[in-house]
């Protein structure tokens, strides 16, 4: 069957302020969609991928017309749900017989709501990992059979919405086909945010799935049955890295939720990278209580040039409130060790934590400056649908009824201890104070080595200029709350 996989059209202005998008914009490889594509191809289907990050809405529809698929899978986040709906509606106008299916974090969280709100334009929703589910769906559709008993699917049949049992989580991740990156087209378009990569092109790899932590802002696909982290074998990961290198990729971004949760596995993975003498640089995220000098030294020797630590707050009370499970001293220690072994450090922070005050937000900014990482990001806490905070927001604050606010840039949630204006103001103060420090600017000046570094510096200076002069830069339109 001809299958089209679609990410609806979007532009940077949907997420970032136009004045700072140049230093914030990023285009990640859509790993989940590529996994689904690979398994469909293995099953013998003809697959096309249309990415709305680089294609206008009308261009996607024109390609759908030419391809004449029998099945279209549409990816949706919370903030992108409206565009996913619009895409499905317009695909049905092309041919009402095209079977449209929605997947992604938002449909997984709200499930049958996507069918009830999407109207006749949406035929089914995949409610979990889609690799096996979509292949089984298409087998049924090809034979003209009902989707009855296909696990992990909610579908429409005879004007009724039918919810099938969930599909068990995939335990043997090694059995999955590697993501088909050939569908991406020009791979140099897919890059992390500026200053978060060293070499191009950059491939994205996930070596495990799941997380055993309980952060209130983090979405876990199957909270009730989540059995911890599922790991790929080290050999399987290394084989995918080697395939990426053969395809021309020169850097890897590991996007595991907890890359170093299994200390011994992380150490062995780094050692095996060295033993295979693989020529690539890489970037990963880790929790501050998972690393020590020996592990970070092994990472460095294996080609790791940067690491992200989710610091989140400079106030222990607020770390406890989000159930981070870390301490300020652990954050300080991890940052210090990473610097000592020669790894660049990025730390992330959030404002609007339940119970947080404006004054505590200022303390977080001071903490970020004290740590003095190479990069820092400052967001508004975002309770995506399916998270503990989203399900229990009334205990802690108010929440926007506009899904377009559900990005790390918008103030979708406001604690009772702050106002929306204060959350936004803290973000502006944070960027101004952290990136305007003379010691930081001088350090970046001495790090300029080539034309690309200079271009990045100029974009960053432009963003910093607008942060200083445009007081309403991060302002979001006031939304009603539910």
């Amino acid at each position: 069957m001809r299958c089209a996989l679609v990410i609806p059209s979007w532009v940077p202005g949907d997420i970032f302020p136009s004045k700072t998008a140049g230093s914030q914009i990023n285009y990640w490889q859509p790993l989940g969609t590529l996994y689904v594509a690979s398994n469909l191809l293995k099953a013998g289907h003809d697959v096309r991928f249309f990415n709305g990050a680089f294609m206008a809405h009308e261009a996607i529809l024109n390609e759908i017309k030419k391809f004449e698929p029998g099945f279209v899978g549409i990816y949706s986040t919370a903030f992108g749900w409206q565009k996913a709906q619009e895409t499905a509606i317009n695909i049905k106008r092309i041919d009402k017989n095209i079977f449209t299916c929605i997947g992604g974090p938002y449909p997984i969280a709200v499930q049958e709501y996507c069918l009830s709100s999407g109207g006749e334009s949406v035929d089914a929703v995949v409610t979990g990992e889609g690799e096996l589910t979509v292949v089984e769906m298409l087998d049924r559709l090809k034979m003209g059979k009902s989707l009855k008993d296909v696990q992990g699917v909610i579908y429409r049949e005879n004007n009724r919405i039918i919810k099938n049992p969930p599909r068990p989580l995939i335990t043997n991740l090694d059995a999955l086909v590697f993501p088909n990156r050939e569908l991406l087209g020009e791979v140099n378009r897919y890059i992390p945010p500026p200053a978060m990569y060293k070499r191009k092109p950059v491939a994205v790899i996930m070596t495990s799935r799941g997380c055993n932590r309980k952060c209130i802002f983090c979405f876990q696909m199957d909270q009730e049955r989540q059995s911890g982290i599922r790991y790929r074998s080290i050999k399987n990961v290394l084989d995918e890295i080697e395939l990426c290198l053969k395809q021309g990729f020169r850097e890897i971004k590991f996007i595991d939720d907890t890359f170093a949760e299994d200390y011994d596995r992380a150490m062995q993975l780094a050692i095996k990278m060295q033993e295979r003498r693989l020529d690539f640089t890489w970037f990963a995220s880790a929790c501050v209580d998972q690393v020590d000098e020996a592990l970070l030294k092994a990472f460095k020797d294996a080609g790791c040039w940067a690491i992200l630590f989710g610091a989140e707050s400079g106030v222990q009370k607020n770390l406890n409130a989000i159930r981070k499970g870390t301490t300020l001293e652990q954050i300080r220690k991890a940052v210090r060790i990473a610097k000592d072994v020669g790894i660049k450090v990025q730390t992330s922070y959030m404002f609007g934590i339940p119970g947080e005050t404006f004054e505590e937000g200022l303390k977080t900014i001071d903490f970020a400056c004290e740590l003095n990482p190479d990069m820092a990001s400052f967001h508004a806490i975002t309770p995506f649908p399916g998270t503990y905070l989203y399900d229990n927001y009334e205990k802690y604050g108010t929440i926007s009824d506009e899904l377009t606010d559900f990005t790390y840039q918008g103030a979708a949630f406001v604690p009772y201890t702050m106002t929306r204006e204060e959350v936004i103001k803290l973000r502006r103060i944070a960027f101004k104070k952290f990136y305007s420090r003379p010691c930081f600017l001088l350090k970046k000046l001495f790090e300029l080595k080539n034309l690309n570094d200079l271009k990045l510096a100029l974009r960053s200076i432009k963003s910093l200029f607008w942060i200083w002069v445009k007081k309403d830069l991060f302002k979001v339109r006031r939304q009603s709350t539910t």
Side-chain angles (χ1 to χ4, degrees), residues 259-319:
F259 185 76
E261 174 63 30
D262 186 328
Y263 182 95
D264 292 336
R265 177 181 180 273
M267 178 67 79
Q268 283 301 309
L269 183 55
I271 291 172
K272 294 299 182 181
M273 287 180 192
Q274 294 182 65
E275 289 180 354
R276 290 205 186 188
R277 301 182 182 278
L278 303 178
D279 179 21
F280 72 104
T281 50
W282 54 279
F283 188 119
S285 305
C287 293
V288 294
D289 60 342
Q290 296 172 347
V291 299
D292 60 14
E293 183 177 359
L295 184 61
L296 291 177
K297 179 66 167 57
F299 283 5
K300 170 69 173 176
D301 293 342
C304 176
W305 73 274
I307 193 164
L308 169 65
F309 294 126
E312 317 305 8
S313 177
V315 178
Q316 187 62 50
K317 173 182 75 72
N318 295 331
L319 289 176

Side-chain angles (χ1 to χ4, degrees), residues 226-238:
Q226 182 66 36
S227 56
I229 305 171
R230 294 161 288 148
Y231 294 102
R232 296 168 56 189
S233 69
I234 290 176
K235 180 183 183 303
N236 187 255
V237 174
L238 292 171

Side-chain angles (χ1 to χ4, degrees), residues 191-373:
I191 54 175
M196 285 186 63
Y197 65 93
K198 193 173 184 179
R199 305 165 72 183
K200 292 193 302 183
V202 183
V204 173
I205 289 180
M206 181 178 285
T207 80
S208 64
R209 293 185 181 182
C211 181
N212 56 6
R213 293 183 175 248
K214 304 295 182 182
C215 299
I216 67 172
F217 57 87
C218 185
F219 173 68
Q220 287 301 319
M221 182 181 66
D222 197 334
Q223 297 181 63
E224 294 182 1
R225 299 183 301 138
Q226 182 66 36
S227 56
I229 305 171
R230 294 161 288 148
Y231 294 102
R232 296 168 56 189
S233 69
I234 290 176
K235 180 183 183 303
N236 187 255
V237 174
L238 292 171
D239 288 347
E240 183 178 2
I241 293 173
E242 289 195 340
L243 175 61
C244 288
L245 299 184
K246 289 178 181 178
Q247 293 173 335
F249 293 98
R250 303 176 65 218
E251 180 158 315
I252 304 293
K253 168 66 171 164
F254 294 108
I255 59 170
D256 301 50
D257 290 323
T258 51
F259 185 76
E261 174 63 30
D262 186 328
Y263 182 95
D264 292 336
R265 177 181 180 273
M267 178 67 79
Q268 283 301 309
L269 183 55
I271 291 172
K272 294 299 182 181
M273 287 180 192
Q274 294 182 65
E275 289 180 354
R276 290 205 186 188
R277 301 182 182 278
L278 303 178
D279 179 21
F280 72 104
T281 50
W282 54 279
F283 188 119
S285 305
C287 293
V288 294
D289 60 342
Q290 296 172 347
V291 299
D292 60 14
E293 183 177 359
L295 184 61
L296 291 177
K297 179 66 167 57
F299 283 5
K300 170 69 173 176
D301 293 342
C304 176
W305 73 274
I307 193 164
L308 169 65
F309 294 126
E312 317 305 8
S313 177
V315 178
Q316 187 62 50
K317 173 182 75 72
N318 295 331
L319 289 176
N320 298 341
I322 59 176
R323 303 177 187 172
K324 187 66 178 179
T326 56
T327 66
L328 298 179
E329 188 50 43
Q330 287 174 327
I331 297 170
R332 291 187 177 98
K333 182 178 179 181
V335 171
R336 182 177 66 251
I337 293 173
K339 288 182 178 180
D340 288 345
V341 303
I343 294 177
K344 299 285 187 182
V345 177
Q346 179 179 7
T347 51
S348 60
Y349 307 87
M350 55 180 60
F351 300 117
I353 292 170
E356 182 182 31
T357 65
F358 183 80
E359 290 70 26
E360 288 171 343
L362 295 176
K363 290 182 180 178
T364 290
I365 298 170
D366 290 339
F367 183 64
C369 294
E370 173 202 329
L371 293 177
N372 192 28

Side-chain angles (χ1 to χ4, degrees), residues 310-462:
E312 317 305 8
S313 177
V315 178
Q316 187 62 50
K317 173 182 75 72
N318 295 331
L319 289 176
N320 298 341
I322 59 176
R323 303 177 187 172
K324 187 66 178 179
T326 56
T327 66
L328 298 179
E329 188 50 43
Q330 287 174 327
I331 297 170
R332 291 187 177 98
K333 182 178 179 181
V335 171
R336 182 177 66 251
I337 293 173
K339 288 182 178 180
D340 288 345
V341 303
I343 294 177
K344 299 285 187 182
V345 177
Q346 179 179 7
T347 51
S348 60
Y349 307 87
M350 55 180 60
F351 300 117
I353 292 170
E356 182 182 31
T357 65
F358 183 80
E359 290 70 26
E360 288 171 343
L362 295 176
K363 290 182 180 178
T364 290
I365 298 170
D366 290 339
F367 183 64
C369 294
E370 173 202 329
L371 293 177
N372 192 28
D374 297 276
M375 292 288 292
S377 57
F378 303 94
H379 304 292
I381 190 171
T382 305
F384 293 105
T387 63
Y388 173 86
L389 183 53
Y390 183 88
D391 293 338
N392 298 274
Y393 76 88
E394 290 178 320
K395 298 178 183 178
Y396 309 107
T398 59
I399 198 169
S400 172
D401 61 2
E402 292 288 341
L403 287 176
T404 51
D405 284 339
F406 282 76
T407 71
Y408 293 114
Q409 311 297 316
F413 170 81
V414 180
Y416 291 129
T417 47
M418 258 198 268
T419 65
R420 176 169 277 106
E421 288 72 22
E422 286 178 323
V423 174
I424 296 168
K425 185 176 181 180
L426 281 169
R427 291 193 67 217
R428 181 168 179 262
I429 293 173
F431 281 109
K432 281 174 59 179
K433 187 169 184 178
F434 184 88
Y435 287 104
S436 298
R437 293 172 298 140
C439 63
F440 178 85
L441 295 172
L442 190 62
K443 178 183 177 182
K444 292 302 177 183
L445 178 62
F446 283 116
E447 289 179 348
L448 296 178
K449 296 179 180 178
N450 51 49
L451 182 60
N452 187 63
D453 290 344
L454 180 60
K455 290 180 180 179
L456 173 59
L458 292 175
R459 288 200 298 268
S460 300
I461 291 171
K462 179 183 177 181

